[in-house]
Amino acid sequence: MTDATNSPSTGPMLSADGTPLKKSLQIALRRQKLRALALVAPLLLFVLISFIAPIADMLFRSVENEIVSETIPRTVIALEQWDYDDGNAAAPSEEVYAALYVDLSEAEEFKTHTRLGSRLNYETTGMSSLLRKTGRGIGRMDTDEYTKQFVALDPRWEDPAIWVDMMQSPGVADALPETASAWQSWQRIVANKNDVLAEEQPDDFIYTMLYRDLAAQPASAISAYSGAGADMLQAADNALDGFEPVSLQEQFVEIDKDWADAQIWGTVKAFSSPYTAGYFLSSVDLQLTPAGIEPQPENQQIYMLLFGRTLFMSMVIMGSCILLGYPIAYLLSNLPLRTSNLLLILVLLPFWTSLLVRTSAWKVLLQQQGVINDILVWLGLVGDGDRLVMINNQFGTIVAMTHILLPFMILPLYSVMKTIPPSYVRAAKSLGATNWTAFWRVYFPQSVPGIGAGSILVFILSIGYYITPELVGGTTGTFISNRIAYHISSSLNWGLAAALGTILLAVVLLLYWVYDRIVGIDNVSLG
């Protein structure tokens, strides 16, 4: 018997509009997928903007270091030929100081040298004040002597129009490479001031670079240039031996003697790359130095301690919530519906109270002159001079956070326990099991998914908490999240904060993976 859909006499089966049925089904399926995508698109966009994008930005900030190479690009290139030899290196050559002179002349105009100082100050204390001081003093350098000598040789050197014509001439970059590079900075400075380039006499750093080019370039290179101002350049090259040179290194050292310190230059070179691992190294109590990776000074090794404390206290808080939440959830699930609903309202009541109010209440209760200590003194359990210290330490943080996060443990447990049929326990008892055996062998295994769900909720919430530890933790009860908040709001070291946040995220994902391997995420249930 011949298949009717492929019969030569009848052809393929058609839909009502004459389109082959297979093609119509494909079109309908495609439209159905597009409709489904359109329905979930707003949610996907929301997740992308509010979750994926911030995480991506955090990851980028934890390695981003473009401020150095963008602010002093010539200096970064010049330092590639200089080696730091574990503190025994001499200061770099005059070429590096010349590059820094041009870079800082432009950076001072745009005020970017202060941002550079703030960035490098995270690595070497004093870099911020050094760059601010240099920015103020760079305009008072004796490099104006070059300007005076060129103008004395030929007054046309102070004519801005001649400079514009010369710098636009073909071949000038080959004859005067440093001058041409410095001229680009001068153009940006003039544009930033909204001035006309042909009406502004070049700054002293242009004349300084011109002197350096004429001194470095062979006479043949200068004579080969035939563009605008060629005769002036030739005359200046011939008269160069009579110029009084100015040492840029001495000028910088005169502003601040730290510019002769190889450690300063080593820091600049170590962090000259657009991307750095320095933030992540600092997050694990290491540091990137000019000599390589080294441990932080012992009195500054804090982050590994904070990470360990955060994990330990989060585990303790999670365990406390299990111990307190399980009996409450068991009671709620086995009481009559009306009574359990009333008690459930009491469990949810903390959600209707401000977090700050709840935390402040614990400060009142736990402080040495607080309610709990007063009751203990009144009962004679402790002396008035031996009041318990229960606040501004780990104990205070654990107590306050257990109270705050306890509902997140009770609710998953209650929802799972509510689905456990009471007949299972009765059947176990009818077969001779004791109350404890029936609970432990029959009831408890069925409530494990609720424990898993509550544990994940409480642990992840506690590991990222910072308000409660900040208020009641003191110096020994704060979490790594408190340090992240400090770097974001106070020290403004966003790179280190991003690195700490990235490590914290990685730790949470790792623990989540370990939990899945040991317990199995499929065993987690919310009822």
Side-chain angles (χ1 to χ4, degrees):
M1 185 175 179
T2 307
D3 188 355
T5 59
N6 297 311
S7 174
S9 59
T10 60
M13 185 177 293
L14 304 178
S15 61
D17 60 356
T19 307
L21 182 60
K22 185 177 181 180
K23 184 176 181 181
S24 297
L25 290 174
Q26 291 176 344
I27 294 174
L29 182 61
R30 188 181 304 113
R31 288 176 179 173
Q32 185 178 4
K33 290 181 178 180
L34 289 176
R35 283 196 298 269
L37 179 61
L39 290 174
V40 301
L43 178 60
L44 291 176
L45 186 62
F46 174 78
V47 171
L48 179 64
I49 295 175
S50 63
F51 184 72
I52 303 299
I55 290 179
D57 182 66
M58 178 182 68
L59 292 173
F60 176 72
R61 283 181 180 273
S62 64
V63 296
E64 186 270 335
N65 191 51
E66 295 178 347
I67 180 64
V68 180
S69 57
E70 288 180 353
T71 306
I72 49 173
R74 300 173 183 86
T75 309
V76 168
I77 295 174
L79 278 174
E80 291 177 356
Q81 306 302 320
W82 176 78
D83 291 326
Y84 179 86
D85 186 18
D86 197 17
N88 299 319
S93 62
E94 184 76 3
E95 284 71 19
V96 177
Y97 287 94
L100 181 64
Y101 176 43
V102 178
D103 285 334
L104 286 186
S105 295
E106 180 180 359
E108 195 280 330
E109 173 64 31
F110 290 91
K111 307 303 178 187
T112 54
H113 66 296
T114 58
R115 293 176 52 231
L116 173 64
S118 298
R119 169 65 188 96
L120 295 178
N121 200 71
Y122 297 143
E123 315 303 334
T124 299
T125 304
M127 289 294 293
S128 179
S129 58
L130 173 63
L131 285 166
R132 290 176 185 272
K133 182 179 180 181
T134 306
R136 293 191 299 268
I138 201 165
R140 299 191 295 269
M141 283 184 172
D142 292 340
T143 51
D144 60 345
E145 293 297 323
Y146 287 127
T147 305
K148 295 175 183 178
Q149 293 178 82
F150 274 107
V151 173
L153 179 66
D154 192 331
R156 290 180 296 171
W157 279 115
E158 63 180 347
D159 186 354
I162 291 181
W163 274 101
V164 172
D165 292 339
M166 183 171 63
M167 289 296 106
Q168 292 177 349
S169 298
V172 70
D174 296 328
L176 307 171
E178 291 190 44
T179 309
S181 177
W183 182 257
Q184 295 176 358
S185 294
W186 174 242
Q187 286 179 303
R188 290 189 287 267
I189 291 174
V190 173
N192 185 58
K193 294 180 177 179
N194 295 321
D195 293 332
V196 180
L197 189 64
E199 297 177 358
E200 296 293 324
Q201 183 183 358
D203 206 342
D204 294 332
F205 69 85
I206 298 294
Y207 293 93
T208 303
M209 295 303 108
L210 176 60
Y211 173 84
R212 287 181 50 79
D213 277 332
L214 293 177
Q217 294 289 83
S220 58
I222 303 301
S223 60
Y225 172 72
S226 58
D231 58 327
M232 297 166 57
L233 281 177
Q234 189 62 55
D237 188 46
N238 295 333
L240 203 65
D241 292 339
F243 277 45
E244 183 68 28
V246 178
S247 172
L248 292 173
Q249 180 178 7
E250 292 178 0
Q251 294 297 309
F252 275 100
V253 173
E254 186 176 335
I255 294 176
D256 195 306
K257 61 180 180 8
D258 283 347
W259 284 118
D261 186 359
Q263 176 73 25
I264 296 295
W265 291 103
T267 300
V268 174
K269 182 174 182 178
F271 292 90
S272 59
S273 173
Y275 303 99
T276 179
Y279 293 124
F280 280 102
L281 292 174
S282 298
S283 300
V284 292
D285 294 329
L286 299 175
Q287 58 180 338
L288 180 61
T289 68
I293 299 175
E294 298 178 356
Q296 290 276 9
E298 189 173 349
N299 61 345
Q300 297 180 21
Q301 295 181 8
I302 182 176
Y303 295 113
M304 293 304 294
L305 172 65
L306 286 175
F307 275 117
R309 179 193 298 169
T310 300
L311 292 174
F312 169 75
M313 293 180 66
S314 297
M315 290 289 186
V316 172
I317 292 166
M318 181 186 71
S320 301
C321 288
I322 294 174
L323 292 177
L324 294 175
Y326 195 95
I328 297 174
Y330 180 82
L331 179 64
L332 291 174
S333 61
N334 288 279
L335 285 174
L337 185 61
R338 183 173 181 179
T339 306
S340 65
N341 286 341
L342 179 61
L343 294 178
L344 192 61
I345 292 175
L346 298 180
V347 173
L348 297 174
L349 192 61
F351 287 130
W352 305 336
T353 309
S354 169
L355 175 62
L356 291 175
V357 172
R358 284 178 280 166
T359 304
S360 300
W362 279 111
K363 290 179 69 72
V364 174
L365 291 171
L366 297 176
Q367 62 184 334
Q368 284 189 294
Q369 301 300 322
V371 176
I372 295 178
N373 266 304
D374 285 344
I375 293 175
L376 293 176
V377 171
W378 180 71
L379 293 175
L381 297 178
V382 297
D384 190 44
D386 299 320
R387 290 172 177 259
L388 302 179
V389 180
M390 298 181 290
I391 200 70
N392 297 327
N393 52 27
Q394 292 188 15
F395 178 80
T397 300
I398 292 171
V399 170
M401 288 188 61
T402 298
H403 166 245
I404 291 169
L405 298 178
L406 188 58
F408 293 99
M409 179 65 71
I410 294 175
L411 293 177
L413 282 170
Y414 171 74
S415 64
V416 170
M417 291 177 176
K418 200 66 178 175
T419 63
I420 300 176
S423 58
Y424 288 3
V425 175
R426 291 197 298 266
K429 291 180 180 180
S430 67
L431 293 174
T434 63
N435 290 336
W436 170 251
T437 302
F439 168 78
W440 185 248
R441 299 289 297 275
V442 176
Y443 189 88
F444 181 79
Q446 296 181 79
S447 66
V448 168
I451 297 176
S455 298
I456 290 178
L457 281 174
V458 171
F459 181 79
I460 292 179
L461 286 173
S462 62
I463 204 173
Y465 244 67
Y466 76 94
I467 294 178
T468 302
E470 183 71 21
L471 294 177
V472 301
T475 57
T476 61
T478 53
F479 286 6
I480 191 65
S481 51
N482 298 105
R483 203 64 184 173
I484 295 173
Y486 166 77
H487 286 306
I488 290 176
S489 60
S490 298
S491 72
L492 301 182
N493 191 349
W494 287 22
L496 181 55
L500 291 171
T502 301
I503 293 176
L504 187 61
L505 175 62
V507 169
V508 171
L509 294 177
L510 177 62
L511 292 174
Y512 183 84
W513 177 81
V514 171
Y515 180 89
D516 181 44
R517 298 287 293 180
I518 297 175
V519 179
I521 199 63
D522 294 337
N523 293 325
V524 174
S525 174
L526 292 175

